[in-house]
Amino acid sequence: MTTPDDDLPLAGTVVLLRPADHGFRVLLMRRPDRGSFPGAWVFPGGKVEPGDRRDGDDRVEDARRAAIRETAEEVGLVIDGLVPLSEWRPPVEVPVRIRTWFFLAEAPEAEAVPAEAEVAELAWVTPAEALARHATGEWTLFPPTWVTLHRLSVHDRVAAALASAGSAELFQTRVLDDGRAFAWEQGRLHAAALPWRFEPA
């Protein structure tokens, strides 16, 4: 049985993990002040293009190929070993709806090199550091990025984070209180004021 969401454009995003002295860091990049997500800090990734598709109807694999390609294009890193983490389905209220899969992967040792046209700034930070910068208003994060960082912040090692994934957990987004909160089966994100707060279901 198909649903309206089955026909949405698809995208893939990669959360790159790099071991650190205390836990691990993730790669976040700030988008330019134009185009999609202007000025926001996001993980590398982008929409599935025709070249990412293969015979058959495996949307997750299409998204995986898009995530690998976009990461190479945006930050110059060649990655493999992607582990499915989550699938995000957007709320019906937004004008552009894209169904996005998030993957985890350990980052290669090579240095990330930002694509000038697509990336204004790069940062390797712990999940807690990223959330703290958002809490002060220094960084702009969108709910899927914030929730992903929040959930990763409980892990103290790359291996533990990777072990927590393996299948794409579905997040079907609902907007509440005129955009002041977002809800999923997993819980509710209170976003009326900083700092944001996640209330588990």
Side-chain angles (χ1 to χ4, degrees):
M1 180 179 177
T2 62
T3 69
D5 285 349
D6 290 333
D7 296 325
L8 292 177
L10 310 178
T13 288
V14 183
V15 185
L16 288 171
L17 310 177
R18 176 165 284 175
D21 291 339
H22 301 286
F24 58 86
R25 299 182 185 278
V26 300
L27 179 64
L28 285 161
M29 58 187 210
R30 182 168 61 84
R31 290 290 188 193
D33 295 326
R34 52 176 170 71
S36 301
F37 311 115
W41 287 86
V42 299
F43 303 114
K47 290 177 64 174
V48 170
E49 296 182 356
D52 303 316
R53 301 184 187 276
R54 300 291 185 272
D55 291 339
D57 193 30
D58 192 331
R59 294 177 175 87
V60 179
E61 289 305 311
D62 291 346
R64 187 195 305 269
R65 284 185 284 268
I68 292 171
R69 176 184 51 75
E70 288 281 352
T71 299
E73 292 174 0
E74 292 179 337
V75 298
L77 294 177
V78 178
I79 56 172
D80 57 17
L82 276 65
V83 180
L85 177 65
S86 53
E87 176 194 349
W88 293 83
R89 298 188 184 184
V92 297
E93 295 89 345
V94 297
V96 179
R97 303 184 70 228
I98 300 174
R99 186 177 169 189
T100 304
W101 276 267
F102 280 42
F103 300 90
L104 291 183
E106 186 165 359
E109 294 184 1
E111 197 62 41
V113 179
E116 184 176 343
E118 299 187 75
V119 182
E121 188 177 356
L122 289 178
W124 287 99
V125 294
T126 66
E129 288 170 341
L131 293 171
R133 293 182 186 186
H134 175 266
T136 64
E138 179 184 355
W139 280 13
T140 298
L141 299 175
F142 283 87
T145 307
W146 192 99
V147 171
T148 300
L149 291 165
H150 175 73
R151 290 162 69 89
L152 287 174
S153 67
V154 304
H155 302 296
D156 60 358
R157 293 177 298 113
V158 168
L162 291 171
S164 72
S167 61
E169 185 177 5
L170 177 61
F171 285 79
Q172 180 73 63
T173 307
R174 291 182 293 123
V175 177
L176 306 176
D177 300 330
D178 295 325
R180 294 185 293 245
F182 302 87
W184 306 271
E185 284 189 1
Q186 294 84 349
R188 179 177 297 196
L189 177 60
H190 297 274
L194 296 175
W196 288 1
R197 179 174 59 87
F198 188 79
E199 178 185 355

